Amino acid sequence: MVWRRARPLHPARFFDAADALAAETVRSRGRFWLANRPDRMIAWDAVAGIVTVEDAGPWLASLPMAAWDLLPPARRIAAALDWSPGHGDRVQHLVFTGPGLDRARIHALLDACLLAPGEPADGDDPFVPFLDLPDAPHADPTPPR
């Protein structure tokens, strides 16, 4: 089953729903848009109850037009398919597989995670430990003895 929406996700509600989504499906993949990270595409990959999320780079809508030529053609084509004047290529696109999926329940669970019109996206961001990782491990500045 495919879930597509053109509104951002509330980070805390979506984080809270992640375990249920992973437990009720065999495999899921896709990309999503967090309201508090409007410039970053986040990748979702889950199998056998284990969820991986990672920063997949910027949404094209957040880049200057001059930068688009530096991206692979497939990335530009994918963005064009999702493009909307209001939010560019930002979109929720998650695909779930497994026997006996309860489509209505999964859709309701995900729809409840969407940011309501006018709702602020403030508060704690539970994705920080997974998405705000340093580029390289920090070395201990003290030399070994």
Side-chain angles (χ1 to χ4, degrees):
M1 73 152 253
V2 176
W3 182 74
R4 285 179 62 85
R5 298 292 186 267
R7 288 192 353 236
L9 291 164
H10 187 282
R13 288 197 301 265
F14 185 60
F15 187 86
D16 289 345
D19 284 340
L21 291 168
E24 293 183 26
T25 62
V26 172
R27 179 89 166 95
S28 55
R29 293 188 61 151
R31 61 191 184 277
F32 61 95
W33 166 25
L34 290 174
N36 63 327
R37 297 171 185 265
D39 296 336
R40 307 307 295 180
M41 179 190 306
I42 312 298
W44 167 280
D45 192 12
V47 64
I50 306 297
V51 177
T52 302
V53 293
E54 62 185 7
D55 188 315
W59 294 105
L60 263 64
S62 67
L63 295 174
M65 292 285 287
W68 291 20
D69 290 336
L70 303 174
L71 297 169
R75 175 72 174 91
R76 294 191 311 265
I77 291 168
L81 293 172
D82 291 327
W83 200 265
S84 152
H87 52 77
D89 59 329
R90 294 175 186 97
V91 67
Q92 313 301 348
H93 188 138
L94 298 171
V95 179
F96 300 89
T97 60
L101 289 179
D102 185 342
R103 180 184 175 99
R105 174 171 158 57
I106 293 171
H107 275 243
L109 182 62
L110 287 163
D111 287 343
C113 297
L114 292 169
L115 198 70
E119 179 184 8
D122 54 1
D124 290 335
D125 181 353
F127 286 95
V128 166
F130 308 99
L131 298 175
D132 294 346
L133 301 173
D135 291 336
H138 294 288
D140 183 351
T142 308
R145 295 184 180 184

